Amino acid sequence: TSSDAQLLRTALDDVVRSIVSRLHCDLSIHGTPIFEELSGTWVAFFMAEGPECDAALRALATQAKALEVLLARRPTLAQVGQQVRAALSSVRSGFHCQITLRGDPTFQDASGDWLVTFIASGNDCDAAAEQLADLGKELQIVFVRNVARQDLIR
């Protein structure tokens, strides 16, 4: 139930606070834990970045096991930025399309996806946008193409 999920989230937040007070790791739980009916397992998503994250993640895994929760890691903004730059580099070299990002990636708690908005102009932009979508899918990065003003006038 949603109250079980909230209780579990509160317990995980308490565990994380205890861990980050001792170790240098930017560790956080994202979203509400999800109950996977097929496996009968709770799943909680987290992000972590910092020099002592290996130790922090071991501590988190131990506590999560005691709470009977499976952990799944989500990339941080910095990690997503690296993946986005790699995807853009790949697409820019293969298509005649100028791609410009619009702001920073944003994390969508409801879906667990990172949203990356861009504009594109040139001959191969539809194909470039498809390639970006394919590159981002596995990493839960959703590339959303906004239409540029000059394209609206055409």
Side-chain angles (χ1 to χ4, degrees):
T1 67
S2 64
S3 62
D4 291 337
Q6 282 306 114
L7 287 172
L8 189 54
R9 171 64 195 257
T10 300
L12 288 168
D13 286 341
D14 291 343
V15 168
V16 166
R17 270 192 294 281
S18 171
I19 292 169
V20 298
S21 71
R22 300 184 322 257
L23 298 168
H24 188 70
C25 177
D26 184 11
L27 176 64
S28 58
I29 302 294
H30 282 265
T32 303
I34 299 168
F35 186 73
E36 294 289 336
E37 303 232 358
L38 189 60
S39 64
T41 304
W42 284 98
V43 179
F45 300 95
F46 71 94
M47 293 181 192
E49 187 173 37
E52 294 182 309
C53 283
D54 288 344
L57 297 180
R58 283 192 297 275
L60 179 60
T62 299
Q63 293 296 321
K65 185 175 181 182
L67 294 169
E68 299 180 357
V69 177
L70 178 66
L71 297 171
R73 188 172 188 167
R74 299 261 193 236
T76 64
L77 177 59
Q79 293 161 341
V80 166
Q82 292 170 348
Q83 296 299 321
V84 167
R85 285 189 294 281
L88 286 174
S89 177
S90 172
V91 170
R92 284 177 177 149
S93 68
F95 297 93
H96 297 288
C97 179
Q98 177 63 38
I99 297 171
T100 305
L101 296 181
R102 305 297 276 176
D104 289 328
T106 56
F107 184 73
Q108 307 297 303
D109 270 326
S111 66
D113 294 332
W114 281 94
L115 193 65
V116 178
T117 306
F118 69 96
I119 57 172
S121 62
N123 296 330
D124 296 336
C125 290
D126 290 340
E130 286 179 27
Q131 180 69 27
L132 278 175
D134 288 344
L135 291 170
K137 186 179 280 185
E138 186 176 318
L139 301 169
Q140 290 186 283
I141 299 172
V142 177
F143 289 92
V144 177
R145 183 177 176 188
N146 282 351
V147 179
R149 287 188 192 125
Q150 64 268 25
D151 292 336
L152 290 172
I153 296 171
R154 291 183 193 170

